[in-house]
Amino acid sequence: MTETATASERNPQAHFTAVPTHPPGVVLATRPITVLLIDDQAIVGESVRHMLAPESDIVFHYCQDPSKAIDTANAVQPTVILQDLVMPDIDGLQLVKFFRANKATRETPMIVLSSKEEPTIKAQAFALGANDYLVKLPDRIEILARIRYHSQAYISRLERDEAFRQLEENQRQLAEEVAQAARYVQSLLPEKTTTCGVQVDWRFVPSTALGGDMFGYHWLDPEHLAIYLLDVSGHGVGSSLLAVSATNLLSARSLPDTDFCNPGEVLSRLNDVFQMEKQNGKYFTMWYGVYEPPTRSLAFSNAGHPPALLYNGPSAAEAQLEKLESDGLAIGMIDGMPYSTTTVALDTFARLLVYSDGVYEIQKPDGNMWQHADFANFISGLRAEGEAVGDRLLAHVQELGGTTILEDDFSVLEIQF
């Protein structure tokens, strides 16, 4: 039982200053210096109270019954404990040990305040976890200095630990948000398909920070297949949501006055809608193509995106690698930017690879970057073997980087016509 400073000395558990209590382990935003004295002599309690009374920033609690010391400490959460060694019914050194075994006081600074001066007793107290030792009753200036020294160090550590805890919690919440966004993005990706003489395969592995990649394909009509892949600047949920917004417009064909069979016109309209000053400074690169089966032609336009790779020829053995390049700027960078459309004829054998820069901008453990030319050479080797590229390419870049954790989204579309 505890009471305020108006209580008489017949109340051995008197609080000399009342403060709100809170559950053990909760760190206050602004924590006062809180002293808990455990001593069976009421006169010592009154003497220490008198010493600390002029200090407005110090809250003092007194516990005369050592059997209630742990419960009192758990309730008031002191920033420093003053404790006598010679008390009835309990060994003061044993109580030091109990305080160190108690979760709420395991790290609380303890100053032994005792009449014993023997070096062996002091050594035992320090061995059991005491932080300081004073022969009672010390000078007021000295006890104040030691209380402030130990309390301020302890409060600083509590604030640091709380800051780290909050940071870890924020990071956990952010990681969960990114994971949810990644699952959402993956749920929107189209199914791998073989239809109307076109086989589509893809691999998508989001980075831990979610890099803003998105892709899709759909038939505009029986004679036109739209294929696109975009990569939003930056990382995180914001980039991902912008990618989803852009692809939603494409899949719903919601761009006004737009011929979706004309790649250059599609990119121009997207550029009108997604100017970066309206998108929190974000922009995106994009490759957009339209395949026309009756004429076996592929029209495409590029907004600052890596060039698509086309293997084209009368047969797989005779196919040559072509880079489908164009010089348009990223979507959102310049208002009114025109985008041109280029058309290529597809031979009997034609395979198209559309990808983001996350598949080749790989930093190796030696600090060197895997370059686009190295990437194209690697793909050429796979083509010679007649293999699909997705899994082999992913395994290769993970091996190059020395980790399965990717710094950017890994997105690759492979279309066989």
Side-chain angles (χ1 to χ4, degrees), residues 113-131:
L113 196 62
S114 177
S115 57
K116 291 181 174 291
E117 299 188 60
E118 293 87 344
T120 55
I121 299 296
K122 293 180 181 180
Q124 284 181 287
F126 284 120
L128 290 171
N131 300 87

Side-chain angles (χ1 to χ4, degrees), residues 192 201-203 388-396 398 410 412:
K192 301 171 185 180
D201 190 21
W202 54 261
R203 298 294 181 276
V389 304
D391 291 335
R392 287 285 300 275
L393 179 58
L394 177 60
H396 186 67
Q398 290 175 334
F410 177 100
V412 58

